[in-house]
Amino acid sequence: MAIDIVQPTVGLSKIAVSETHGENSPYFAGWKAYDENPYHEIHNPSGVIQMGLAENQVSFDLLEEYLESHQEATSWGKKVSGFRENALFQDYHGLLAFRKAMASFMEQVRGGKAKFNPKRVVLTAGATAANELLTFILANPGDALLVPTPYYPGFDRDLRWRTGVEIVPIHCESSNNFQITPEALESAYDHARSMGMKVQGVLITNPSNPLGATIQRKVLEQILDFVTRKNIHLVSDEIYSGSAFHADEFASIAEILESRNYQDAERCHIVYSLSKDLGLPGFRVGTVYSYNDQVVTTARRMSSFTLISSQTQFLLASMLSNKEFTEKYIKINRERLRKRYEMIVNGLKKAGIECLKGNAGLFCWMNLSPYLKEATRESELEIWKTIMDEVRLNISPGSSCRCSEPGWFRVCFANMSEETLEVALRRLHEFMDKRRNEEMSLLY
Amino acid sequence: MAITKNNSHNMLSKIATNDGHGENSPYFDGWKAYDANPFHLQHNPEGVIQMGLAENQLSFDLIEEWVKRNPNASICTPQGALDFKETAIFQDYHGLPEFRTAIANFMSQVRGNRVKFDPNRIVMSGGATGAHETLAFCLANPGEAFLVPTPYYPAFDRDLRWRTGVELLPVVCESSNSFKITKEALETAYEKATIAKIKVKGLLITNPSNPLGTFLNGETLKDIVNFINEKNIHLVCDEIYAGTVTNGDEFVSIAEVMKEVPNCKYDLIHLVYSLSKDMGFPGFRVGIVYSYNNNVVNIARKMSSFGLVSTQTQRMLASMLSDTKFIENFLSESRVRLAHRHDMFTRGLAQVGIGCLESKAGLFFWMDLRKFLKQPTFESEMTFWRIIINEIKLNISPGQSFHCSEPGWFRVCFANMDDETTMIALWRIKMFVRKNRNLEINTRRQFLHNNQHMRLSSRRLDDILTPHRMSPHSPLASPLVRAQN
């Protein structure tokens, strides 16, 4: 390991010493608590249950089944000579078969309501890289991107850290189910301008993380009108598009653009990934889909820093171009997520906890504001810590998602077995009962 | 689907609209010529032969045999499928522990186990491309500079500068002393930066060198370490070609030298590595940042989120690289094949009086075509290069794209083709030289005088003076040639 240095050493960059990587937020403190005491059905039944990780583990059997019956196609197997060609392939256009498969899969996820051209698919190692890459292309350091709150905590790092770009929040409120309003858009834009920042675009996540709800078609139209009026970009992160419980409840920006005959489309860019819908975060498969030729070209060049392993492209090209398989998978996956969602929401209801009405994603947006001492961030963190320490559940506090109202929590439900979810719900139920009894006894 | 193009809202960033991507360099013109007319032994024997791509294709048979014998290394086979789910979910940026360990051990094996690497310092990146950019982000602010000895790998201009805003300043190396990096050159470069008020944050060396194919001796490395220690700047050592050194025992890694320099500041030293060259796996995107600075390890690891290695690939490579017996055999066999191919070319070229810088590493050699230039200018180099592409139909890379300070040098890659293509490439060069004797501007005597220091791969003097003599193995005697005549 390192040798103790006595002399002063030369410094690192400003980016290196800044805190913008975001890992000192409570979002990650919970992960650490989990890592130190992870729940295990048999070996550690009183450990911390991880409900802060938006992973999709409900449909792996389908993937495994596919692999079993498609040995030749997915592995180099008998045709080992394919290994060489695969190992050498480093063209940043990506394997054509894979790009075609991705475009086709994205179409299927949208029920064929929008068409995707493989030539516009740019491959990156995960949506993390896709979002950062787009930011580098669409904005200069000091410029602003408007992002509706609450939003995925990782955006603070992905959009800002190395790019020097700022995030200005579009405040959304529980009074209208956190929907994005034209007023909120204008307000955010004006606020950014008043701080001397040039606004380069709006970035939405649809379906939303952490809300677990799709953005209504009407609202998408309003957002598109807004960015057109302001002459700025629109990035739509549709990473959870395949996780909408009912296919017809999700409208992609691609559909809106198609309905408008692609007028003004080149200000629009879609981010996608297989980390959530297919449950393959380890494989690092992300994509930037842009309707802007210059962005496609530049993004492709930039993807040199973050290409997808050709080995993985090869495996997934096979899997995703099998339309029979993907159709079956998408359908069953939606169904299973919907069931999980109902299970957790009903379980929470029985414990006296309400959630935002959701229809997508791998999590629910839980409302504990009635139980806060005060409507403050500190109170929220207090209850969060209690839930971590006493109930031993790692859930994500709304403040780490920049929610403007304290008391909301994101609770993931798809990264565990049903049994574990039941344990988690039971614990929460007991905790809430205990609390209610304590409060009752205080009254007398 | 019709998309109206309206450039009034093409408001993209400066980074997006500048030339920082580097693709307008002549380095890529040759590639374009190749793409437009690629050589194929059967289907397009008149096409352009790609000699501008530094790839190692000589030892895949060994890899393929291993893959066949180890089905459990793949998560797609029945043997490995049990691990599919676990592998697919794992996204920890520390990487699979077995992968990190395997990489650390492999790096050690490549260096003859003369030095050990700590798995905890292994940080992943999107290829060496990603590794270099990550280090630039960590070590320097926009406007600050890295010194880089010339000639250097063209893509450094993009990798280190494009999105980071960091500058690259040359440490000029010259043919008169075989392009060695001297203390004077380092000092000169540093001084120039100081006068121009540019803050130098580090020195980047590639060892073995691309494009030279040479590697640094212990003395030079110590001088370099002393230089960066004294100036208190970082040292980034790209050792991506470490496994291509013909005689592995001769290669000295910075990791070995560090131990021998008194008061060496470990916090300043960082390595870049990759499996793209030594193993021939550019498609798998396995880049490694290895730093002796704890803070840099920490930060680079966080940044690796933007370019992690696919866990599917991590798992397979963990299995392959930890098969030390296989790796030992692979490395030694690969070195032999590379050396043989290298010699095939340099000897063949010497037969027609073309010299190369003496080198014993890399996937390329540095060819001296100065005597063919009308004038010792880069314009002449460019003109001659176009002839090479269009008439000889070889894509080789002109020295100016490597920022070489002297015109007339070309990098020629030799490991990305089979034996037949090699012979055809050699034959084309020889034919061209014979047909164009008048292109040699300098007299032969002058040529010899200017190049006393260069050994022309065991050629006798009269071989150079009488290039018309054919060796019995010359392709001119091959049926292919006779058929065409």
Side-chain angles (χ1 to χ4, degrees), chain A residues 50-62:
Chain A
Q50 174 63 290
M51 304 190 88
L53 188 52
E55 262 178 15
N56 181 1
Q57 293 189 25
V58 309
S59 305
F60 265 109
D61 57 320
L62 302 177

Side-chain angles (χ1 to χ4, degrees), chain B residues 330-350:
Chain B
F330 174 86
L331 286 174
S332 86
E333 184 60 30
S334 174
R335 292 186 210 274
V336 165
R337 294 181 189 186
L338 287 171
H340 177 74
R341 181 59 75 78
H342 172 277
D343 288 350
M344 238 168 105
F345 265 108
T346 50
R347 284 199 194 113
L349 292 174

Side-chain angles (χ1 to χ4, degrees), chain A residues 70-132:
Chain A
H70 293 84
Q71 283 295 301
E72 298 279 315
T74 54
S75 94
W76 301 297
K78 287 185 188 136
K79 229 185 89 188
V80 170
S81 56
F83 180 99
R84 179 175 170 278
E85 207 179 294
N86 193 235
L88 288 172
F89 187 86
Q90 58 173 327
D91 180 353
Y92 62 24
H93 288 83
L95 267 174
L96 181 58
F98 179 56
R99 256 187 304 138
K100 282 189 171 151
M102 275 299 269
S104 144
F105 185 70
M106 285 170 76
E107 281 176 10
Q108 273 189 297
V109 162
R110 288 156 188 72
K113 285 181 275 175
K115 289 236 143 307
F116 288 92
N117 180 351
K119 291 206 177 90
R120 295 193 173 282
V121 172
V122 177
L123 303 172
T124 62
T128 300
N131 279 314
E132 189 199 42

Side-chain angles (χ1 to χ4, degrees), chain B residues 149-297:
Chain B
T150 65
Y152 63 81
Y153 166 56
F156 277 161
D157 287 333
R158 172 198 64 187
D159 299 350
L160 279 113
R161 301 183 323 161
W162 191 17
R163 305 192 302 183
T164 61
V166 169
E167 292 294 338
L168 287 183
L169 300 173
V171 174
V172 180
C173 301
E174 295 167 349
S175 64
S176 53
N177 71 339
S178 304
F179 297 97
K180 289 197 172 53
I181 303 170
T182 63
K183 279 194 269 199
E184 294 73 32
L186 289 168
E187 290 288 349
T188 303
Y190 190 88
E191 237 177 81
K192 267 185 101 172
T194 313
I195 292 170
K197 293 201 171 33
I198 300 174
K199 189 155 194 285
V200 175
K201 283 311 269 293
L203 169 65
L204 165 66
I205 62 173
T206 306
N207 180 35
S209 160
N210 174 9
L212 303 176
T214 54
F215 50 90
L216 304 174
N217 60 26
E219 278 313 301
T220 311
L221 280 169
K222 283 195 193 121
D223 285 343
I224 287 173
V225 173
N226 284 322
F227 174 77
I228 60 117
N229 273 317
E230 188 230 320
K231 298 285 190 262
N232 213 28
I233 60 177
H234 292 281
L235 176 61
V236 176
C237 282
D238 183 350
E239 298 192 349
I240 197 175
Y241 293 100
T244 64
V245 178
T246 305
N247 187 348
D249 290 338
E250 285 181 10
F251 176 67
V252 181
S253 163
I254 194 71
E256 300 170 56
V257 161
M258 286 165 74
K259 301 184 279 190
E260 296 167 25
V261 174
N263 301 317
C264 176
K265 296 174 189 165
Y266 275 53
D267 265 6
L268 296 178
I269 303 189
H270 326 275
L271 266 138
V272 165
Y273 189 58
S274 158
L275 299 182
S276 301
K277 311 294 176 181
D278 290 349
M279 295 299 289
F281 296 162
F284 295 165
R285 313 315 303 148
V286 182
I288 302 291
V289 171
Y290 187 95
S291 175
Y292 291 91
N293 180 318
N294 293 343
N295 283 331
V296 174
V297 169

Side-chain angles (χ1 to χ4, degrees), chain A residues 50-298:
Chain A
Q50 174 63 290
M51 304 190 88
L53 188 52
E55 262 178 15
N56 181 1
Q57 293 189 25
V58 309
S59 305
F60 265 109
D61 57 320
L62 302 177
L63 297 175
E64 284 158 355
E65 199 183 271
Y66 176 86
L67 285 178
E68 225 177 300
S69 44
H70 293 84
Q71 283 295 301
E72 298 279 315
T74 54
S75 94
W76 301 297
K78 287 185 188 136
K79 229 185 89 188
V80 170
S81 56
F83 180 99
R84 179 175 170 278
E85 207 179 294
N86 193 235
L88 288 172
F89 187 86
Q90 58 173 327
D91 180 353
Y92 62 24
H93 288 83
L95 267 174
L96 181 58
F98 179 56
R99 256 187 304 138
K100 282 189 171 151
M102 275 299 269
S104 144
F105 185 70
M106 285 170 76
E107 281 176 10
Q108 273 189 297
V109 162
R110 288 156 188 72
K113 285 181 275 175
K115 289 236 143 307
F116 288 92
N117 180 351
K119 291 206 177 90
R120 295 193 173 282
V121 172
V122 177
L123 303 172
T124 62
T128 300
N131 279 314
E132 189 199 42
L133 191 143
L134 264 178
T135 306
F136 268 122
I137 292 176
L138 305 180
N140 290 310
D143 288 348
L145 287 179
L146 308 182
V147 186
T149 65
Y151 61 74
Y152 163 54
F155 279 159
D156 285 334
R157 171 198 60 189
D158 300 349
L159 307 179
R160 302 184 318 155
W161 191 18
R162 306 192 303 181
T163 62
V165 170
E166 297 291 343
I167 294 177
V168 170
I170 299 167
H171 291 295
C172 299
E173 296 168 352
S174 61
S175 54
N176 74 335
N177 294 321
F178 295 97
Q179 282 182 89
I180 303 161
T181 64
E183 295 75 34
L185 285 164
E186 291 284 351
S187 174
Y189 186 91
D190 292 340
H191 184 63
R193 299 295 296 132
S194 74
M195 291 196 285
M197 288 187 270
K198 191 158 178 280
V199 177
Q200 283 299 99
V202 172
L203 186 142
I204 59 175
T205 306
N206 179 30
S208 160
N209 172 10
L211 300 178
T214 55
I215 299 183
Q216 286 177 26
R217 211 192 158 91
K218 185 187 82 187
V219 176
L220 283 174
E221 303 258 13
Q222 288 171 339
I223 296 172
L224 191 50
D225 290 339
F226 173 78
V227 299
T228 306
R229 233 180 14 254
K230 299 291 189 207
N231 197 17
I232 59 180
H233 294 277
L234 175 61
V235 177
S236 181
D237 185 342
E238 302 189 350
I239 196 176
Y240 292 100
S241 45
S243 309
F245 309 149
H246 302 280
D248 53 8
E249 285 181 6
F250 169 67
S252 164
I253 196 71
E255 296 168 47
I256 316 276
L257 290 173
E258 200 161 291
S259 73
R260 294 186 182 195
N261 239 340
Y262 296 102
Q263 201 174 39
D264 272 333
E266 72 265 28
R267 64 177 73 256
C268 296
H269 326 275
I270 297 176
V271 166
Y272 188 56
S273 158
L274 300 181
S275 299
K276 309 296 176 182
D277 291 348
L278 280 186
L280 306 174
F283 289 178
R284 312 318 298 146
V285 181
T287 163
V288 169
Y289 187 93
S290 176
Y291 295 91
N292 182 317
D293 292 348
Q294 202 182 351
V295 172
V296 170
T297 304
T298 308

Side-chain angles (χ1 to χ4, degrees), chain B residues 103-121:
Chain B
I103 293 280
N105 289 341
F106 176 71
M107 285 171 70
S108 201
Q109 238 187 316
V110 164
R111 291 155 185 74
N113 290 316
R114 291 184 294 275
V115 62
K116 285 238 145 313
F117 290 94
D118 179 358
N120 292 323
R121 292 191 178 282

